[in-house]
Amino acid sequence: MAAYRTVHLGDPEGQKAMETLKRFLDPAASPSALVFRSKRNGPLLETTILSQGLYPALKSLDLKQAGLHVFRRGCNRRWELAGIVPAVIRQQMGHTTAAMTSLYSGEIPIEQVKAEFSMKKRRGVVQLEKNGK
């Protein structure tokens, strides 16, 4: 049984994502409004999205193949970089311990993440951390 929780998306990106999602979930919308749809105009299975959408996209970008769970890990990392209090991140992720939450961020060294978001490498990206923390 899947766990359900309320996740606050108060930042501008989260608000934009929710507005877009609401348009797709509008009951009056036609089946063609689905981002991914089957031949019968219904939603696709996760396995189909992975094999026909995500995996080919990752391959074309020369990125490591990963499942949909990687988006959850990315959300955890994004919150960390935004300076969200660890206890809030833990609650939003639905984890009972800080050790579980740290498993989500342990794969990418923070120095590598900082380098990717560095103003030196990319123009127009706002640095999310202050004072090297």
Side-chain angles (χ1 to χ4, degrees):
M1 184 169 167
Y4 293 92
R5 69 192 56 80
T6 299
V7 176
H8 178 70
L9 297 172
D11 61 324
E13 294 86 0
Q15 292 296 313
K16 185 175 179 180
M18 288 306 298
E19 289 169 14
T20 302
L21 181 60
K22 284 177 186 176
R23 282 196 304 271
F24 285 113
L25 297 177
D26 182 356
S30 69
S32 64
L34 290 171
V35 176
F36 303 106
R37 59 188 164 111
S38 70
K39 290 178 183 178
R40 295 183 179 151
N41 288 327
L44 292 177
L45 297 174
E46 178 181 339
T47 53
T48 306
I49 293 170
L50 290 173
S51 65
Q52 295 180 12
L54 184 60
Y55 293 162
L58 292 172
K59 184 176 181 178
S60 71
L61 295 169
D62 199 29
L63 295 173
K64 181 180 171 185
Q65 184 170 304
L68 294 175
H69 202 73
V70 75
F71 292 107
R72 187 170 157 80
R73 290 181 181 271
C75 190
N76 183 83
R77 176 59 81 173
R78 185 168 171 260
W79 287 335
E80 285 178 341
L81 291 173
I84 304 297
V85 176
V88 173
I89 296 173
R90 190 168 47 253
Q91 176 182 325
Q92 292 296 284
M93 296 295 289
H95 297 153
T96 56
T97 66
M100 175 57 81
T101 305
S102 71
L103 290 175
Y104 275 71
S105 56
E107 290 188 21
I108 305 169
I110 192 69
E111 292 76 22
Q112 181 182 348
V113 173
K114 286 180 184 178
E116 289 297 319
F117 282 96
S118 170
M119 290 298 285
K120 294 176 188 173
K121 286 194 164 195
R122 297 182 185 200
R123 293 178 152 201
V125 175
V126 178
Q127 190 165 352
L128 299 175
E129 294 186 338
K130 298 179 183 176
N131 303 326
K133 294 181 182 178

